[in-house]
Amino acid sequence: MPIATVNPATGETLRTFPPFEPAEIERRVAASATAFRTYRTTSFAERAALLRRAADLLEQDAPDVARRVTTEMGKPLTAARAEVAKCAKAMRWYADHAEGLLADERPADADVRDTGAATARVHYRPLGPVLAVMPWNFPLWQVVRFAAPALMAGNTGLLKHASNVPQTALYLEELFRRAGYPEGVFQTLLIGADAVERVLRDPRVAAATLTGSEGAGRSVAAVAGDEVKKTVLELGGSDPYLVLPSADIDRAAATAVTARAQNNGQSCIAAKRFIVHTDVFDAFTERFTAGMAALKVGDPMDEATDVGPLASERGRADLEELVDDAVGRGATVRCGGRRPEGLVRGWYYEPTVLTGVRPPMRIHREEAFGPVAAVYRAASLDEALDIANDSSFGLSSNVWTRDDAEVARCVRDLEAGGVYVNGMTASHPALPFGGVKRSGYGRELSGHGIREFCNAKTVWQAAA
């Protein structure tokens, strides 16, 4: 895949970048390792001042940055601006909280004495250069939610961004440089997927994090395993959205539209499988379908647009194949199911609702990365949970009910990294984010995320 900015709204190639030569890759990896030796000794106060400065600059740059993001991957401009604001907020959150999250841990006095020590404690220390392989769908947020905690912990970062968002990738390097970070602390690598293994096998690279496809995750995990290096993987999801009889159907349906169509439907934590109790199936489906059909599809630079184009022509083709397969096997199209009329340029697809989805259909097993919703009818909570868990993914989940016993049951039995009750899944720096099963392993965000790339160093000390 070429490293290029291709406007998804028009299909026009705006700018192409040559991949870095081996000598440039070596220079940047060496710079990262060199920077780590001194950056790891800086204080939390020094790191926090740099990160707050980066947040200030990002907010100042917001109009231009948002337009760049929309041009490269097609999300509505309003959503791009919201992404910028979210990144700045996360930077400040980690600047404020990192020192506390990584404070030394001290066992109970009785346990210390039992070890034979006068004192014992756990220090959290950075690992070194971390390779981040990041996707295009949230080209700022995906990077910042890695970079903010990693840099506050004292690590250095090497970003291999998706090949269709090179200008955003280069901007992020420039942002941290302008904020005053020492040379080599955060760098972008303009490389293709075929060069990732070489970087990851470099002994100076300590660890890796990847958000992307299951195939990409397997590849990175295999190399990292061979090299015995720490990895964190977030590999997408097909999140269930359960609607039970006591739910507020109007709220559940309205939120479902946002949960499915956010980011043009291209979000790993977007609700994708809507599992509705038979008692409220008709009422929910009617409202949900009406809401999806009412979304305005069009130019993502237009402030009135709800859904822009998919990020690539291949992505739209993949989505069309899933819908065609489902319809061919008996699913019913309640709305959408085609390319919009009048939008002949760009990679647009109508918001779509399918009912009658069954296990033999590909969309039951595969992640639909676009504004397509699969709606299931469940006769009971047991059946709803069975459908929800009948997936190789386990990123997040949503449950709508006013019954406390049903909440408890869903929290216990849903196989997912998160359960959001009477609301939609959203990431926040204070909450851990990640999945189970083939959605990956490890956590981003919160204290769990910042400690992923730290050495929990035990210090045992006897009396002098």
Side-chain angles (χ1 to χ4, degrees):
M1 181 178 183
I3 300 174
T5 297
V6 182
N7 188 342
T10 64
E12 179 186 3
T13 299
L14 302 177
R15 191 174 175 188
T16 301
F17 297 80
F20 286 168
E21 296 291 338
E24 179 62 12
I25 298 171
E26 163 60 26
R27 188 189 71 78
R28 288 178 177 246
V29 172
S32 186
T34 299
F36 174 68
R37 288 197 289 270
T38 53
Y39 182 69
R40 68 183 180 87
T41 66
T42 57
S43 68
F44 282 108
E46 290 172 303
R47 297 174 204 166
L50 291 170
L51 196 57
R52 291 191 185 100
R53 175 60 177 159
D56 291 343
L57 291 171
L58 180 59
E59 287 181 331
Q60 293 173 21
D61 296 342
D64 290 339
V65 175
R67 291 184 69 85
R68 181 184 291 112
V69 166
T70 294
T71 299
E72 289 204 303
M73 61 73 55
K75 72 175 63 193
L77 187 59
T78 52
R81 286 198 292 260
E83 185 174 345
V84 171
K86 184 173 185 175
C87 289
K89 177 180 178 179
M91 288 175 171
R92 294 194 178 99
W93 191 90
Y94 272 105
D96 292 342
H97 292 88
E99 185 171 9
L101 296 172
L102 296 179
D104 292 354
E105 294 180 4
R106 298 182 182 275
D109 290 344
D111 290 330
V112 172
R113 289 192 297 271
D114 195 49
T115 71
T119 63
R121 58 198 181 276
V122 177
H123 288 184
Y124 288 99
R125 295 296 180 262
L127 295 181
V130 180
L131 173 64
V133 182
M134 294 289 109
W136 48 261
N137 57 335
F138 291 93
L140 294 170
W141 171 241
Q142 298 281 6
V143 177
V144 167
R145 76 183 193 188
F146 146 73
L151 297 182
M152 280 304 302
N155 296 294
T156 56
L158 292 163
L159 170 64
K160 187 281 184 232
H161 217 326
S163 293
N164 59 332
V165 289
Q167 294 188 65
T168 302
L170 291 170
Y171 167 78
L172 286 162
E173 178 183 288
E174 177 192 2
L175 173 69
F176 288 111
R177 178 187 56 77
R178 288 165 55 209
Y181 279 87
E183 182 180 356
V185 170
F186 185 92
Q187 299 171 94
T188 284
L189 301 177
L190 289 184
I191 57 176
D194 58 346
V196 169
E197 179 174 349
R198 173 188 171 183
V199 176
L200 185 51
R201 288 194 184 278
D202 192 298
R204 294 165 294 186
V205 174
T209 180
L210 177 142
T211 298
S213 69
E214 186 179 335
R218 286 178 182 274
S219 177
V220 165
V223 174
D226 190 49
E227 295 290 338
V228 196
K229 293 182 179 181
K230 175 68 179 289
T231 54
V232 171
L233 302 180
E234 193 264 275
L235 307 181
S238 189
D239 289 2
Y241 188 103
L242 279 62
V243 183
L244 302 174
S246 65
D248 181 329
I249 299 302
D250 287 335
R251 283 184 57 219
T255 303
V257 173
T258 303
R260 178 68 286 242
Q262 62 175 313
N263 208 49
N264 302 343
Q266 300 166 125
S267 171
C268 52
I269 56 172
K272 299 181 178 77
R273 296 178 298 132
F274 297 81
I275 304 162
V276 187
H277 193 282
T278 189
D279 291 353
V280 291
F281 181 88
D282 291 340
F284 172 85
T285 303
E286 178 183 353
R287 290 166 175 77
F288 178 46
T289 301
M292 290 285 282
L295 293 171
K296 180 181 178 181
V297 180
D299 181 357
M301 292 293 184
D302 185 339
E303 299 283 349
T305 292
D306 299 308
V307 177
L310 299 186
S312 69
E313 189 172 18
R314 180 69 257 175
R316 182 175 64 176
D318 290 343
L319 195 66
E320 288 175 323
E321 289 173 9
L322 289 181
V323 173
D324 291 346
D325 172 80
V327 173
R329 294 174 182 267
T332 299
V333 177
R334 295 295 187 104
C335 70
R338 62 182 184 178
R339 301 178 184 186
E341 296 180 0
L343 293 171
V344 296
R345 300 177 70 204
W347 302 310
Y348 295 91
Y349 196 77
E350 290 186 348
T352 300
V353 176
L354 301 175
T355 55
V357 175
R358 297 177 292 107
M361 300 172 185
R362 286 178 54 198
I363 200 168
H364 178 73
R365 298 289 180 198
E366 301 176 30
E367 182 178 19
F369 221 57
V372 174
V375 183
Y376 300 75
R377 184 191 296 267
S380 65
L381 175 57
D382 285 341
E383 185 180 7
L385 288 168
D386 286 343
I387 296 170
N389 291 334
D390 185 25
S391 172
S392 62
F393 297 109
L395 190 55
S396 190
S397 60
N398 308 263
V399 178
W400 287 79
T401 178
R402 288 181 275 203
D403 185 314
D404 289 342
E406 290 179 342
V407 171
R409 175 81 188 284
C410 291
V411 168
R412 184 191 72 184
D413 291 344
L414 279 168
E415 298 169 355
V419 181
Y420 286 69
V421 181
N422 297 327
M424 61 177 272
T425 299
S427 54
H428 186 283
L431 298 174
F433 180 86
V436 296
K437 301 195 285 189
R438 292 187 178 178
S439 285
Y441 52 74
R443 290 295 180 267
E444 297 176 287
L445 303 176
S446 78
H448 296 275
I450 197 171
R451 288 189 286 270
E452 287 282 6
F453 296 116
C454 288
N455 172 21
K457 181 182 290 187
T458 298
V459 180
W460 182 98
Q461 187 172 348

